[in-house]
Amino acid sequence: MKIGVFDSGYGGLTILREFLLELPEYDYIYLGDNARTPYGTRSFETVYNYSLQAVKKLFELDCQLIILACNTASAKALRSIQQNDLPKIAPHRRVLGVIRPSVEALDKITNTNSVGILATYGTVSSLSYPIEIKKLYPHITTAQEACPMWVPLVENYEYDKPGADYFVKKNIENLLLKNNNIDTIILACTHYPLLINKINLYKPANIQLISQGSIVAKSLIDYLKRYKEIETKLSKNYKREFLTTETTALFNKKALKFLNICKNFSTKQIFLD
Ligand code: DGL
């Protein structure tokens, strides 16, 4: 059985990239709902329905374990899927998200106990990060800033061009106005690692960035060690399949930017309902 990686579009490829580097032997299916992206501006119900459709499809395709590699889906759909749907549709399979592992990493990093979250409107308004952080580390204060222009900047290849500067600078300044004691920022959207050069330009040098890919990969390594009953069901043939709800020609062109370690890959278009 395989590991499924789901994202609203291309962003989850920055997470898959780290899985392929850290755990290359497993078989993966990546599913990007590119035809219906972005999720960041959609309602709770819509993100939940779309994510559940994707999870069911990945189960049909023989995934034992699915990572919702999308913060918006992790924020708005993960808990309902784990608690309400999974026991009915696939009690022996697992769905994990990216928020918990990102939060777990915080304690070792922040010295000022003030953390910033940069994310989509959907993730910010769900309050998933502040709630999760309070649960695990009550002494840490969280400030959030929604960056609705960042995903379109990345999707339109402006991430390394002057078009990105205005919004990256503005959102970082807004975040620091909310709390100027922040020493750690979570890039809580899978698209944002592509903006890393611009972010480094506008964030104060003392602030550390948490980019999720390697943290989520380390957490998956740990999970597979702890849950042998899941791990032993996973096949290890180094296979990768890429599925998109968009046309494949469109997907392949942009996917290469996100997944810059795979040169050739075959993609199939699928439909979710
Ligand atoms: N992948 C989504 C996330 O990590 C961002 C893109 C979207 O809005 O769909 O939150």
Side-chain angles (χ1 to χ4, degrees):
M1 296 178 84
K2 297 156 202 162
I3 299 177
V5 179
F6 170 66
D7 188 71
S8 59
Y10 300 101
L13 292 168
T14 62
I15 305 280
L16 177 67
R17 182 183 187 278
E18 300 299 322
F19 291 170
L20 298 184
L21 290 171
E22 303 263 356
L23 295 159
E25 65 275 30
Y26 294 99
D27 297 338
Y28 294 90
I29 304 185
Y30 183 85
L31 169 53
D33 193 5
N34 301 79
R36 301 189 295 194
T37 200
Y39 280 16
T41 45
R42 294 191 190 276
S43 67
F44 174 89
E45 287 75 15
T46 303
V47 173
Y48 164 68
N49 287 331
Y50 287 180
S51 304
L52 182 59
Q53 289 169 0
V55 163
K56 286 182 175 165
K57 174 60 77 179
L58 287 167
F59 282 155
E60 250 173 68
L61 297 170
D62 209 25
C63 288
Q64 168 63 29
L65 174 65
I66 296 171
I67 317 295
L68 299 187
C70 171
N71 287 268
T72 314
S74 296
K76 293 192 167 192
L78 179 66
R79 182 154 305 178
S80 301
I81 291 175
Q82 284 176 331
Q83 292 179 354
N84 304 331
D85 300 296
L86 215 49
K88 286 182 234 144
I89 59 174
H92 301 298
R93 304 197 198 186
R94 294 291 174 266
V95 182
L96 307 174
V98 290
I99 295 178
R100 177 79 182 208
S102 312
V103 169
E104 278 173 355
L106 277 178
D107 198 34
K108 292 179 207 93
I109 301 172
T110 177
N111 291 315
T112 61
N113 294 327
S114 291
V115 169
I117 307 295
L118 296 170
T120 64
Y121 267 134
T123 301
V124 166
S125 62
S126 74
L127 298 178
S128 297
Y129 274 94
I131 291 169
E132 202 64 42
I133 291 170
K134 257 297 154 257
K135 249 196 269 165
L136 281 188
Y137 308 120
H139 57 286
I140 295 181
T141 305
T142 311
Q144 303 194 93
E145 169 75 1
C147 311
M149 293 304 292
W150 289 22
V151 169
L153 284 167
V154 170
E155 295 265 330
N156 291 292
Y157 301 109
E158 284 290 328
Y159 51 88
D160 235 356
K161 301 206 181 104
D165 290 68
Y166 174 81
F167 287 103
V168 170
K169 181 170 183 285
K170 182 177 115 162
N171 289 124
I172 291 176
E173 281 173 3
N174 286 351
L175 178 71
L176 297 178
L177 281 176
K178 291 171 187 164
N179 182 341
N180 66 5
N181 216 14
I182 287 170
D183 69 348
T184 308
I185 291 178
I186 301 183
L187 299 182
C189 172
T190 49
H191 277 66
Y192 296 175
L194 275 85
L195 283 160
I196 196 83
N197 292 337
K198 298 291 182 190
I199 297 168
N200 278 328
L201 213 57
Y202 295 109
K203 73 157 185 69
N206 66 311
I207 293 185
Q208 298 199 59
L209 293 177
I210 299 188
S211 195
Q212 294 179 310
S214 60
I215 284 173
V216 176
K218 291 209 168 49
S219 160
L220 180 59
I221 293 172
D222 183 53
Y223 181 90
L224 295 175
K225 274 191 199 137
R226 284 189 293 128
Y227 295 95
K228 282 283 160 217
E229 72 280 17
I230 303 288
E231 201 280 337
T232 48
K233 289 186 183 145
L234 296 173
S235 47
K236 299 184 188 81
N237 302 308
Y238 295 81
K239 279 194 191 148
R240 291 91 177 84
E241 286 170 67
F242 294 88
L243 306 176
T244 174
T245 52
E246 247 301 347
T247 60
T248 57
L250 215 58
F251 179 85
N252 291 349
K253 189 167 163 249
K254 279 196 191 162
L256 280 173
K257 296 270 177 201
F258 288 83
L259 194 73
N260 53 6
I261 53 166
C262 277
K263 288 280 168 273
N264 300 309
F265 50 84
S266 65
T267 312
K268 261 195 246 151
Q269 185 173 22
I270 54 140
F271 299 96
L272 295 174
D273 52 35

